Amino acid sequence: MNNTIRIILADDQLLIRAGIHALLDSLPECELVAECSDGHQAIAAVLQHKPDVILLDIAMPGPTGIEVARAIRLVDQETRILMLSSIDRRETIEEAMQAGADGYLLKDFVLAELLAALAAVRNGQRYLSPRIEQLRLEPTASGNPASKTLLTARQLEVLRMVASGKTTKEIARLLCISPKTVEFHRGRLMERIGAHDVTGLTRFALQNGVLC
């Protein structure tokens, strides 16, 4: 696989685009193939260039970033969508992820985080800025854990199987991964959910409809 990450940058603020452009130019792993200043341009650019990742501002003229993400997902399941925003409200983050975003990067990022986020979503992983990860551990206003939408697809698979009573070896065999990888995912789940044991994971799964 080509290691170069082909990127579209969509943000209506010229200064922000210029700053991110300069950062991307300093990363030999990255190639900026197009810049867009509104939602319509972003959709057209994705259809034309078929990038690996689109860096997508959440608040733009025309279709918003969330609306652009929905439109892209109707026709393109391959391009990874990394949201850019200064908004860290849980509701907005979850709406973006439900719309098809693969990651959510707050605009106060540093260069190392930008590269980590791009590499993660390009490789099919979900990326959330560290401050969002912290939000993920906080209770909602109703006192319930945050929605399951901020978990990766693999974490949801592991959570479902753990809550169903399957052992580490059974999960490893069913998912064709090693027991150590299962333990890693379970540990990350506990961190994200704020659970301390399998009982806590099971409770979360029941409360959030993971077990159907």
Side-chain angles (χ1 to χ4, degrees):
M1 182 178 69
N2 187 344
N3 289 327
T4 301
I5 307 174
R6 300 176 65 253
I7 299 163
I8 288 175
L9 172 59
D11 195 302
D12 64 306
Q13 297 184 51
L14 180 58
L15 288 177
I16 290 179
R17 286 207 314 277
I20 296 176
H21 189 153
L23 289 175
L24 292 174
D25 281 347
S26 72
L27 297 171
E29 304 92 336
C30 298
E31 176 189 359
L32 184 61
V33 297
E35 289 187 37
C36 311
S37 59
D38 65 43
H40 293 297
Q41 290 178 9
I43 296 169
V46 168
L47 294 176
Q48 178 182 351
H49 296 284
K50 302 292 184 184
D52 297 308
V53 181
I54 178 170
L55 278 167
L56 181 59
D57 182 29
I58 205 166
M60 288 191 300
T64 65
I66 289 175
E67 291 167 339
V68 170
R70 292 194 186 105
I72 291 172
R73 281 293 169 256
L74 288 175
V75 296
D76 183 344
Q77 297 295 319
E78 299 301 320
T79 296
R80 303 295 92 191
I81 300 173
L82 180 58
M83 287 293 187
L84 282 173
S85 182
S86 56
I87 301 169
D88 61 1
R89 291 195 302 271
R90 192 196 316 272
E91 296 81 3
T92 302
I93 297 163
E94 292 190 356
E95 185 179 7
M97 305 308 279
Q98 289 170 341
D102 301 283
Y104 197 101
L105 182 65
L106 295 174
K107 286 186 176 180
D108 59 357
F109 63 82
V110 295
L111 181 60
E113 184 184 359
L114 174 61
L115 180 57
L118 289 168
V121 297
R122 196 271 184 101
N123 291 327
Q125 301 167 357
R126 187 159 292 187
Y127 185 88
L128 300 172
S129 287
R131 192 158 83 243
I132 297 173
E133 292 279 11
Q134 183 59 40
L135 279 175
R136 182 64 186 79
L137 301 180
E138 295 174 357
T140 61
S142 64
N144 292 325
S147 162
K148 64 179 182 296
T149 55
L150 294 186
L151 299 178
T152 67
R154 179 48 58 96
Q155 285 171 340
L156 281 171
E157 286 179 317
V158 172
L159 176 60
R160 188 175 293 113
M161 292 182 182
V162 168
S164 297
K166 289 184 170 54
T167 66
T168 297
K169 288 183 178 179
E170 288 173 329
I171 296 171
R173 178 172 49 79
L174 289 168
L175 296 181
C176 298
I177 57 179
S178 71
K180 282 190 175 181
T181 302
V182 175
E183 291 171 359
F184 169 79
H185 285 305
R186 190 169 58 219
R188 289 288 288 158
L189 278 167
M190 288 181 178
E191 289 176 9
R192 286 194 170 196
I193 293 168
H196 302 290
D197 51 27
V198 171
T199 300
L201 291 177
T202 303
R203 185 182 304 113
F204 177 89
L206 290 169
Q207 290 174 337
N208 286 274
V210 176
L211 288 177
C212 301

